[in-house]
């Protein structure tokens, strides 16, 4: 069984937000409808994003490190957001493990977003349906694109190659190898959600 | 969490309606309703319980972004407590209405219908509470006390309403119902106090360390990735100060439980006094439910501690 996922290398992420903007660009132009903004040029701009880059300072000055931390839906193998959905709009694809929302079935009750410990879901304020990272399902399955481009927009945009994409159930894949050999870990393992996305830790420089 | 008044009114109103039905059915089992005029009163009381539930159902629609698709919400009852509630609520209204109609039409079999109503009522309490109690990482909610509180507060406010109804329609039942309402209100206070004590002692299982997977004791967020607001910064935090939260806690403890209990001990519970009691208690329980939502600390907030 396939489980597509991102593996994000915190050792090389430079916090440039290219993945954020390319995600926004691709997903606002896609077949599933726009990724809308509210008041984008006003004093309190707001909008839906599937991916964000956050920054943390780790350690006590002067021994600190700046860690840039990209955050999107982790496509959990046991996603708590799916069984709580009253309509079945929230679902996990059997063929590749991507967690998706059927925007035509969603009633906008927000319960799935409460049930996600990571805050990976955002309501689309103009359409009033729940939205989330689709792992660019409309890109990665598009056979009219060259095979090298059938990757999520964020992966294509990353200038430092901090974002790897592949099947974590295939032990031979690039992502499985990265998780295995570079200490790939899950976020909030305490809730048993088994996130498919993994993070690669910072490494000691020689 | 950011409390939503649609859900606050839904849970408070259907709880009171359920409690009212249970109190009325208890009166029937206690011997009330032998005469045709008494049966008409039970029918009227049952209709009031249906109205409370209908108002709650109406309030719930305001929570939906796409209310016109609400019918879809019955689909996933195998996995979703919310879906189960969507089925249980109209079913309870229907069984309560059937019980009332049987009394109004002087038909037999009301005890059987009422018993069915009690079962559906219990299922509805379970569904409503489990919507919250089943979210294990919302640790303030993930407790059997959530169910106990929903049941006791619904029964307390519903029995107060039943005492009010009796004070204008069947005075001989007022002392019994007022006593029952007093006991239920005190029991609800004890259970709510227990959950407040439990929640004050909770240690969050998720930390910034587990949220980003870095095992360092000192981590500070320097940027959440955007300077405006977003769904993540609006939906999961009440936006009030700790002081305001404490004030609302005392407001609901006094208005929801202490004042109603004091009024229910009155030697002469007149309709005016019981109306006052019911209104203060319902207002207090609205404050209680607001606090219930506000107090729940969602682990996603760990990712939104600093704008930039």
């Amino acid at each position: 069984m396939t489980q597509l996922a991102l593996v994000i290398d915190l050792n090389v992420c430079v916090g440039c937000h290219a993945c954020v903007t390319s995600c926004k660009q691709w997903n606002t132009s896609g077949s599933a409808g726009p990724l809308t903004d509210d008041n984008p040029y006003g004093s309190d701009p707001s909008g839906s994003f599937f991916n964000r880059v956050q920054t943390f300072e780790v350690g006590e000055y002067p021994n600190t490190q700046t860690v840039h931390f990209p955050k999107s839906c982790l496509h959990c193998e046991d996603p708590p957001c799916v069984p709580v959905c009253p309509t079945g709009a929230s679902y996990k694809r059997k063929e590749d493990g991507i967690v998706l929302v059927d925007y035509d079935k969603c009633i906008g009750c927000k319960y799935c977003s409460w049930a996600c410990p990571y805050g990976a879901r955002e309501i689309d304020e103009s359409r009033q349906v729940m939205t989330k990272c689709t792992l660019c399902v409309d890109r990665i399955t598009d056979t009219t694109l060259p095979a090298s481009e059938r990757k999520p927009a964020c992966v294509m945009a990353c200038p430092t190659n901090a974002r790897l994409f592949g099947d974590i159930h295939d032990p031979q894949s690039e992502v499985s190898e990265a998780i295995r050999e570079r200490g790939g870990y899950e976020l909030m393992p305490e809730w048993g959600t088994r996130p498919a996305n993994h993070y690669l830790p910072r490494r000691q420089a020689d | 969490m950011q409390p939503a008044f649609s859900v606050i009114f839904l849970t408070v109103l259907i709880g009171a309606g359920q409690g009212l039905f249970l109190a009325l059915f208890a009166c029937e089992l206690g011997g009330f309703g032998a005469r045709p005029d008494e049966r008409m009163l039970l029918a009227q009381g049952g209709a009031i319980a249906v109205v409370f539930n209908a108002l709650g159902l109406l309030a719930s629609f305001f929570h939906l972004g796409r209310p016109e698709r609400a019918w879809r919400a019955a689909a996933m009852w195998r996995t979703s407590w919310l879906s189960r509630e969507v089925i249980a609520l109209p079913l309870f209204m229907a069984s309560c209405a059937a019980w009332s109609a049987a009394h109004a039409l002087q038909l037999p079999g009301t005890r059987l219908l009422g018993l069915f109503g009690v079962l559906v009522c219990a299922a509805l309490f379970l569904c409503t509470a489990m919507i919250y109690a089943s979210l294990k990482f919302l640790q303030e909610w993930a407790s059997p006390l959530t169910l106990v509180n929903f049941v006791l507060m619904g029964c307390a406010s519903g029995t107060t309403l039943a005492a009010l109804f009796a004070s204008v329609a069947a005075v001989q039942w007022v002392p019994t119902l007022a006593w029952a309402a007093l006991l239920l209100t005190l029991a609800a206070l004890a259970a709510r106090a227990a959950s407040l004590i439990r929640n004050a002692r909770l240690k969050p299982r998720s930390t910034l360390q587990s949220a980003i997977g870095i095992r360092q004791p000192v981590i500070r967020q320097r940027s959440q990735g955007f300077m405006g607001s977003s769904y993540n910064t609006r939906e999961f935090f009440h936006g009030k100060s700790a002081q305001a939260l404490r004030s609302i806690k005392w407001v609901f403890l006094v208005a929801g439980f202490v004042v109603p209990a004091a009024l229910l001990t009155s030697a002469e519970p007149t309709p005016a006094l019981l109306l006052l009691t019911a209104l203060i208690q319902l207002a207090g329980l609205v404050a209680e439910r607001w606090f219930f939502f506000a107090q729940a600390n969602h682990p996603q907030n760990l990712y939104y501690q600093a704008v930039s």
Side-chain angles (χ1 to χ4, degrees), chain A residues 10 17 38 44-47 49 52-61 64 67 69 71 74 80 82-89 102-111 113-123 125-130 185-193 199 201-202, chain B residues 1-2 4 7 63-67 69-77 79-83 86 130-132 134-139 141 205-208 210-216 218-232 234-236 293 298-304:
Chain A
L10 299 183
H17 293 247
D38 304 309
D44 183 24
S46 180
F49 283 77
R52 296 285 198 181
V53 177
Q54 307 192 316
T55 302
F56 296 89
E57 186 180 278
V58 177
E60 244 3 313
Y61 180 83
T64 56
V67 176
F69 177 83
K71 173 177 173 285
L74 306 170
V82 169
V84 300
C85 176
T87 69
D102 183 337
Y103 301 143
D104 294 330
K105 280 189 187 167
C106 176
I107 59 173
C109 73
K110 305 177 185 171
Y111 191 33
S113 70
W114 295 9
C116 169
Y118 308 100
R121 293 170 165 247
E122 297 188 19
I123 198 110
E125 298 287 357
S126 57
R127 286 186 292 165
Q128 285 297 316
V129 292
M130 195 56 70
Y185 64 84
E186 300 171 350
L187 304 183
M188 293 187 191
E190 59 271 22
W191 302 119
T193 56
Y199 286 77
R202 298 294 281 260
Chain B
M1 302 291 293
Q2 175 70 269
V7 185
H63 187 66
L64 302 182
R66 293 286 197 142
R69 296 177 181 169
W71 59 272
R72 287 186 178 276
M76 299 305 281
W77 56 271
T79 60
S80 170
W81 284 106
L82 178 52
S83 190
V86 165
M130 283 308 289
I131 288 173
Y132 309 101
S134 67
L135 301 177
K136 57 185 173 182
F137 48 83
L138 282 161
Q139 291 171 259
W141 295 350
R205 279 187 72 190
S206 286
T207 60
L208 194 48
S210 77
I212 65 172
I214 293 177
R215 278 159 198 49
Q216 273 278 345
V218 183
I219 304 176
R220 287 183 201 86
Q221 185 164 38
R222 289 301 181 206
S223 160
Q224 63 183 10
F226 52 97
M227 297 180 75
S229 68
S230 82
Y231 182 71
N232 300 85
R234 288 190 297 268
E235 180 72 8
F236 301 94
F293 284 102
H298 200 290
Q300 79 101 38
N301 289 342
L302 290 167
Y303 296 106
Y304 301 92

Side-chain angles (χ1 to χ4, degrees), chain B residues 5-306:
Chain B
F5 277 98
S6 49
V7 185
I8 291 173
F9 283 113
L10 163 71
T11 53
V12 171
L13 289 171
I14 66 172
Q18 287 167 270
L20 175 57
F21 166 75
L22 293 176
L24 292 169
F25 186 58
C27 290
E28 184 186 4
L29 296 181
F32 188 71
R35 297 201 316 266
D37 61 317
E38 290 179 347
R39 298 194 69 184
M40 276 317 285
L41 289 177
L42 287 176
Q44 288 165 11
I48 295 171
V50 174
V51 168
F52 267 85
N53 280 273
L55 289 174
L57 182 62
L58 179 70
S60 75
F61 277 87
F62 289 92
H63 187 66
L64 302 182
R66 293 286 197 142
E68 76 279 9
R69 296 177 181 169
W71 59 272
R72 287 186 178 276
M76 299 305 281
W77 56 271
R78 285 182 192 81
T79 60
S80 170
W81 284 106
L82 178 52
S83 190
R84 288 168 196 161
E85 187 194 38
V86 165
I87 296 169
L89 177 51
L91 192 59
F92 172 67
M93 288 167 67
S95 43
C96 189
W99 178 79
S100 304
H103 275 303
L105 301 171
Q106 313 286 338
L107 296 174
T110 51
R111 292 197 172 195
L112 212 60
L113 275 173
L115 197 64
F116 180 71
V118 170
L119 292 177
V120 181
C121 182
L124 179 55
F125 270 128
L126 182 69
C127 295
T128 309
M130 283 308 289
I131 288 173
Y132 309 101
S134 67
L135 301 177
K136 57 185 173 182
F137 48 83
L138 282 161
Q139 291 171 259
E140 289 83 356
W141 295 350
S143 155
L145 281 172
T146 300
L147 174 61
V148 173
N149 278 317
F150 274 50
V151 171
L152 285 177
M153 283 185 239
C155 288
S157 57
T159 309
T160 305
L161 287 173
L164 168 62
F165 181 66
S167 71
V168 290
V171 194
Q172 72 276 21
W173 280 85
V174 172
T176 314
L177 285 168
W179 262 106
L182 173 64
L183 290 179
L184 286 163
T185 300
L186 292 176
L189 174 61
R192 193 61 180 95
S195 81
L196 283 175
I197 292 166
R198 170 188 179 270
N199 290 352
R201 290 179 178 173
L202 280 179
K203 189 174 180 296
R205 279 187 72 190
S206 286
T207 60
L208 194 48
Q209 280 74 12
S210 77
I212 65 172
I214 293 177
R215 278 159 198 49
Q216 273 278 345
V218 183
I219 304 176
R220 287 183 201 86
Q221 185 164 38
R222 289 301 181 206
S223 160
Q224 63 183 10
F226 52 97
M227 297 180 75
S229 68
S230 82
Y231 182 71
N232 300 85
T233 60
R234 288 190 297 268
E235 180 72 8
F236 301 94
F237 184 61
H238 49 77
K240 302 279 188 291
S241 65
Q243 174 73 52
L245 217 60
R246 270 196 301 278
S247 306
I248 290 165
K249 180 176 76 184
W250 287 109
V251 166
F252 88 68
L253 286 172
V254 170
F257 306 101
V258 177
V259 170
L263 292 175
L264 284 166
T265 53
S266 154
E268 247 183 289
T270 59
L273 187 79
L274 286 167
L275 178 64
L276 185 70
T277 309
L279 289 176
I280 292 176
Q281 185 162 45
L282 285 174
L285 293 184
V286 166
E288 186 283 330
R289 210 45 51 88
W290 186 93
F291 185 88
F292 170 79
F293 284 102
Q295 199 194 24
N297 186 22
H298 200 290
Q300 79 101 38
N301 289 342
L302 290 167
Y303 296 106
Y304 301 92
Q305 294 299 310

